[in-house]
Amino acid sequence: MKSESEYATVPDDDTRRSLLRHMLVARGVDEEARQLQKQGSLDLWLSCQGQEAAQVGSALAVGPAATVFPSYREHAVALLRGVTPAELVAQWAGRTFCGWDPRRLRFFPYTLVLAAQTLHGVGYSIGQRLQRREDFVVVYIGDGATSEGDMSEAMNLAAVESASVLFVCQNNGWAISKPAREQMRTSLAERARGFGIGSVRIPGQDPEAVFSTCARAAARVRAERAPRLVEIRVARIHGHSTSDAQELYRSRDDIAEARATDPVTAYAARLSGLGLVDTGWFDAVEAEVRELRERLMKEYA
Ligand SMILES: Cc1ncc(C[n+]2csc(CCOP(=O)(O)OP(=O)(O)O)c2C)c(N)n1
Ligand SMILES: [Mg+2]
């Protein structure tokens, strides 16, 4: 078995620019969807703002061959996998159950039944291996959904069957209005170890740290043919959904801190300070985002 350091992966400069570009695209599309919901064009929207570093870092790290089983807030992952903005919001406008082709993109439909995707993902991976096909699966889950029995079953089954599954938990501290500290006495990373799954718990503001951790975890899942779990601590900037007034249950300081630690602005400033991106680069990405937003608005408004 290889040592931990042999799995080390650091993003090169092109990857760093790619991380930032995907984060900016996700932020722009998410904001446009929020606006479309406000004006009544979408029925509901669950913003991923504040969670972009965790989503983009992990999605870029696992690579296109992975089959992804998302929850319902993984918009940055969806866009990175090739879902178009119009396909992404179609479900939230009540037009379809799933706006994209899950097989082609290896990105399964959003799952609103909490934690159901964990068993779907583990079962899919086991089935793929039996047919000698690519069995590497990534399952996304929120902190609150880990309270569901399905998550315990999925972790146990994955461990017992040595399934090639990487569980990625975005712990944003809330299950709607229920704080994570009232849902668990230990971290999810500790809980995973109790099932025999190797795990780590990391902060989710720095996309490079997320990328490195997830790339290493993915390489180990593939090489050792055993599940792993990465718990990423993130800060949700907006309410649970557009129907949720988080000011009613969340302190002003907590919301202000989530805004102050915004991973998108922090990473943009960092790469700019390092000279890896310049005004021309920002202008080009901004134009790309504007075009995506305008096209989305025209199709849905
Ligand atoms: C089985 C089930 N029970 C309850 C709900 C209602 N519900 C929707 S989202 C949610 C909170 C989930 O929190 P978390 O897993 O932390 O994800 P987040 O929304 O924070 O990304 C709840 C209780 C549901 N969708 N499915
Ligand atoms: Mg949560």
Side-chain angles (χ1 to χ4, degrees), residues 36-194:
L36 284 169
Q37 198 287 326
K38 272 192 198 167
Q39 65 193 54
S41 304
L42 303 186
D43 301 314
L44 188 73
W45 184 249
L46 290 93
S47 168
C48 73
Q49 293 187 30
Q51 305 188 192
E52 292 93 341
Q55 296 193 8
V56 169
S58 57
L60 212 55
V62 300
T67 301
V68 175
F69 286 74
S71 184
Y72 47 73
R73 203 187 286 285
E74 280 73 42
H75 313 316
V77 182
L79 294 164
L80 191 150
R81 300 286 301 203
V83 175
T84 67
E87 288 171 344
L88 183 64
V89 306
Q91 178 173 17
W92 307 96
R95 293 188 184 183
T96 172
F97 284 118
C98 176
W100 57 89
D101 180 347
R103 281 184 190 279
R104 186 174 64 81
L105 299 180
R106 290 175 176 269
F107 185 74
F108 267 65
Y110 275 169
T111 308
L112 278 291
V113 180
L114 294 182
Q117 78 278 12
T118 62
L119 282 168
H120 301 163
V122 174
Y124 180 88
S125 176
I126 293 170
Q128 288 286 103
R129 187 182 292 175
L130 286 173
Q131 295 174 76
R132 299 184 197 288
R133 293 196 193 135
E134 170 65 60
D135 64 347
F136 178 51
V137 159
V138 180
V139 171
Y140 282 90
I141 184 142
D143 51 287
T146 70
S147 300
E148 292 287 338
D150 281 11
M151 179 61 173
S152 295
E153 290 176 43
M155 285 197 287
N156 194 50
L157 184 63
V160 165
E161 295 293 332
S162 240
S164 302
V165 175
L166 175 63
F167 294 97
V168 177
C169 174
Q170 292 171 85
N171 184 343
N172 61 14
W174 297 96
I176 311 183
S177 54
K178 182 90 169 163
R181 64 173 182 280
E182 289 178 17
Q183 295 182 72
M184 47 187 104
R185 293 283 175 254
T186 64
S187 69
L188 176 66
E190 279 178 87
R191 205 192 313 163
R193 279 175 228 136

Side-chain angles (χ1 to χ4, degrees), residues 226-247:
R228 293 194 78 74
L229 182 142
V230 178
E231 178 180 0
I232 311 176
R233 286 187 288 114
V234 291
R236 195 186 79 193
I237 289 179
H238 296 292
H240 168 76
S241 74
T242 43
S243 298
D244 175 46
Q246 64 175 350
E247 297 75 18

